[in-house]
Amino acid sequence: MTVTILITRPEPEASRMAAELQARCDAVAVVVSPVMQIAYGGTLPDLAGDEVLIFTSRHGVEGFCRLSARRDFACYAVGDATAEAAEAHGIRAISAGGDAEALLARIAAEGARGPFLHLRGAHVAADVAGALRAAGHVARDTVVYDQVEAALSPEVQALLQGAEPLILPLMSPRSARIVLAQATGITAPLFVAAISRKVADEVPEGVSHRVDIAETPDLPGMLALVQDQVRMAKRLEGGKRPQ
């Protein structure tokens, strides 16, 4: 029996996550088949210089830095990896260490006043700028990249239609919808590792052997969950889905 981990994140995150899991998990196969490709582009509004930037992904950082040479902004980042990406480009960053909810809570706790500018993708799971405006702040957002749908590879479709355990980490509601819409005739015992409850709710009843949610909504939380699921998958006799 072979346990396979399927990584469907965009590159370069997909390869980074695959390398992490290969180092952590013994005797597993890791297959990378992104269901989204990042296309940078868009425009920035006029910047006065007093904006507080908000980044909810590494791609937002990259998209902004491709459009502007300015680095003299304070910013909030949704998590440590995004904050590190901002710092690497010379932008001072504060990490919220979690998800959009944690980000908004950190901004409120620190009493930051803005004005805020959220640099985001064309598809987002949370309306950060809208939430800030509802809290009485001046906040705008602008799209600096798109997440273009891509097809699962024939290799992955064959794995989904096989009999051996398959672990599927899902990092966003949209990626969950794309993967599960493309996956046809799933017969493999499917272990879904969801980064949040919103992601888990996108998994239709009966599609997976089990769905688990990461203790923390970030990459370390997901890596720990996938390791746990690898151990569970290896206990399945013959890789058959329980009835």
Side-chain angles (χ1 to χ4, degrees):
M1 180 181 71
T2 300
V3 176
T4 300
I5 304 170
L6 170 59
I7 308 298
T8 61
R9 303 183 73 187
E11 292 287 14
E13 283 84 356
S15 292
R16 292 192 188 112
M17 188 174 188
E20 287 269 10
L21 288 168
Q22 287 279 23
R24 290 167 177 249
C25 302
D26 295 328
V28 299
V30 180
V31 175
V32 173
S33 181
V35 295
M36 288 186 284
Q37 295 178 346
I38 302 302
Y40 291 105
T43 58
L44 295 177
D46 292 336
L47 299 175
D50 60 346
E51 291 87 358
V52 177
L53 306 184
I54 295 177
F55 296 117
T56 47
S57 72
R58 291 173 181 261
H59 302 301
V61 175
E62 181 66 26
F64 171 78
C65 292
R66 289 181 180 219
L67 294 170
S68 175
R70 294 190 62 175
R71 302 292 183 264
D72 55 337
F73 294 95
C75 84
Y76 284 88
V78 68
D80 294 346
T82 303
E84 289 167 7
E87 295 278 2
H89 279 283
I91 302 172
R92 197 160 42 90
I94 298 170
S95 172
D99 53 12
E101 184 177 339
L103 175 68
L104 292 166
R106 180 68 181 268
I107 289 171
E110 295 194 347
R113 303 305 304 168
F116 297 98
L117 176 62
H118 180 200
L119 291 307
R120 65 176 181 86
H123 305 273
V124 291
D127 182 5
V128 172
L132 288 168
R133 288 193 295 270
H137 297 288
V138 175
R140 299 177 290 175
D141 59 7
T142 190
V143 173
V144 293
Y145 68 96
D146 195 2
Q147 308 101 312
V148 181
E149 183 173 342
L152 289 170
S153 69
E155 176 190 7
V156 169
Q157 294 287 9
L159 289 169
L160 288 163
Q161 295 165 14
E164 297 191 329
L166 188 62
I167 297 173
L168 175 61
L170 293 172
M171 307 293 283
S172 73
R174 183 168 181 251
S175 64
R177 290 192 295 271
I178 292 173
V179 172
L180 296 172
Q182 291 188 23
T184 56
I186 298 174
T187 56
L190 185 64
F191 291 70
V192 175
I195 197 170
S196 69
R197 168 56 60 185
K198 286 184 178 180
V199 173
D201 288 345
E202 295 291 339
V203 182
E205 188 72 26
V207 166
S208 61
H209 169 55
R210 63 180 296 142
V211 180
D212 298 298
I213 301 172
E215 289 191 6
T216 56
D218 52 22
L219 182 58
M222 287 291 283
L223 293 173
L225 174 55
V226 171
Q227 285 181 277
D228 288 342
Q229 288 191 331
V230 166
R231 288 189 284 270
M232 288 184 279
K234 287 182 177 180
R235 290 198 292 267
L236 285 180
E237 291 186 2
K240 296 183 183 297
R241 182 200 298 264
Q243 301 298 317

